Amino acid sequence: MSTTEAVHELAAVPQLPKAAAFWSLPADRFHKALLTTIGTGAASSPHIGQLSRLALYLVLEAPAGPPSSSTEFMARLDVNVLARAWSGEAGAERWTGVQGADLLIAAAAPVLGSLVAQCHNAFRSWATDPRTLRWAATAAGIDLVPGSAGYWDIPSLPLPTTEKEN
């Protein structure tokens, strides 16, 4: 594999398994699963933690609807795409989108670059390691107990068992 091919492979947005139902979760549960995986940056700065949570809210709760794939999610970590999801245009002389969303997007803008890296790493981890996918699913309140009413089956990724399950 050439260096260019390796860079393109690394930069490609990881796609979650079709069986991973994260894109159909309510936004608050997806938000919780993602925050459990990436953290918020609050350990380094409460301010960064607040901005990270705000940015994820803006991405997941936009009037355009929640993202339906990791590609769409990652695209929204751009100020221009995020503004359009909130029915506005970034940098426009007059904001025509949802009232106040322009101020929230401007406030969250400094952490978007960091979230690109954090979310890309989380999606790559979820796509390749069943243990991290299981951890995130559990954090989101998805039931992983076979036979239960809310059981979430991940047939393409066999989940490791814990000592208690054996």
Side-chain angles (χ1 to χ4, degrees), residues 18-81:
K18 295 286 185 223
F22 279 110
W23 303 115
S24 61
L25 285 175
D28 63 326
R29 290 174 73 193
F30 186 90
H31 194 156
K32 185 175 181 180
L34 196 52
L35 285 176
T36 298
T37 304
I38 68 171
T40 62
S44 60
S45 164
H47 176 72
I48 298 298
Q50 291 294 323
L51 293 178
S52 294
R53 284 191 290 278
L54 173 61
L56 290 175
Y57 162 79
L58 291 168
V59 167
L60 294 168
E61 298 280 350
S68 60
S69 68
S70 48
T71 302
E72 184 179 350
F73 181 97
M74 296 297 288
R76 286 194 188 176
L77 293 174
D78 174 86
V79 170
N80 296 310
V81 176

Side-chain angles (χ1 to χ4, degrees), residues 91-138:
E93 190 171 308
R94 179 181 156 95
W95 177 257
T96 58
V98 174
Q99 185 175 4
D102 56 332
L103 300 175
L104 297 176
I105 292 168
V111 300
L112 292 178
S114 173
L115 283 174
V116 166
Q118 291 174 309
C119 293
H120 186 276
N121 289 337
F123 294 156
R124 185 176 62 241
S125 177
W126 292 354
T128 60
D129 185 352
R131 293 168 300 183
T132 60
L133 184 57
R134 180 183 192 129
W135 186 46
T138 301

